[in-house]
Amino acid sequence: QVQLVESGGGSVQAGGSLRLSCAVSGDIVSRYCMTWFRQTPGEEREGVATWDSGIGDTYFADSVKGRFTMSRDSTLTLRMNNLKPEDTATYYCAAKVRPCLRLPTAGDMDYWGQGTLVTISS
């Protein structure tokens, strides 16, 4: 059973930083690809960052490239810098059985966390 639990959301002003964490249960690191998604009301979930543990590589959407970084130790951490109002969304951690896709769609994923809200004020 795979369980994903996000934490770290909150409210900051534009230009600020936040760190989101995804706690992962089960031995999934070697078998799954991990992606952070975000979603605003009325919109589809958008993949913003993927961790491919098999090769230790990360992929980012153009909208966050250069501002977001991702790392994994005991949790999957998304560090968000120079935040913009358009980054406001509910952020979700998700896992997909291999093979990995650089930026999968929501339909590609097998497991989801409950989401954490990020609000950026101008």
Side-chain angles (χ1 to χ4, degrees):
Q1 181 71 17
V2 175
Q3 290 185 321
L4 309 173
V5 179
E6 302 97 335
S7 61
S11 300
V12 296
Q13 290 189 325
S17 299
L18 281 173
R19 184 176 70 178
L20 304 183
S21 295
C22 176
V24 180
S25 68
D27 180 20
I28 74 170
V29 173
S30 62
R31 296 185 289 125
Y32 288 81
C33 310
M34 305 296 298
T35 298
W36 283 97
F37 285 79
R38 65 186 182 186
Q39 186 175 28
T40 55
E43 300 293 328
E44 294 186 353
R45 290 186 186 183
E46 169 197 23
V48 296
T50 291
W51 172 274
D52 183 343
S53 61
I55 60 175
D57 210 348
T58 53
Y59 308 102
F60 296 92
D62 288 342
S63 58
V64 305
K65 199 172 294 183
R67 301 188 296 121
F68 289 15
T69 61
M70 190 160 56
S71 61
R72 194 191 188 287
D73 40 46
S74 58
T75 63
L76 182 70
T77 300
L78 183 69
R79 290 178 174 82
M80 306 184 295
N81 301 310
N82 189 22
L83 285 161
K84 304 176 181 180
E86 51 264 41
D87 294 319
T88 294
T90 298
Y91 284 71
Y92 297 88
C93 176
K96 174 189 178 299
V97 176
R98 294 190 166 279
C100 291
L101 300 173
R102 289 194 173 190
L103 286 174
T105 65
D108 294 319
M109 310 308 288
D110 298 297
Y111 298 96
W112 291 91
Q114 82 287 355
T116 185
L117 180 62
V118 170
T119 304
I120 312 302
S121 58
S122 58

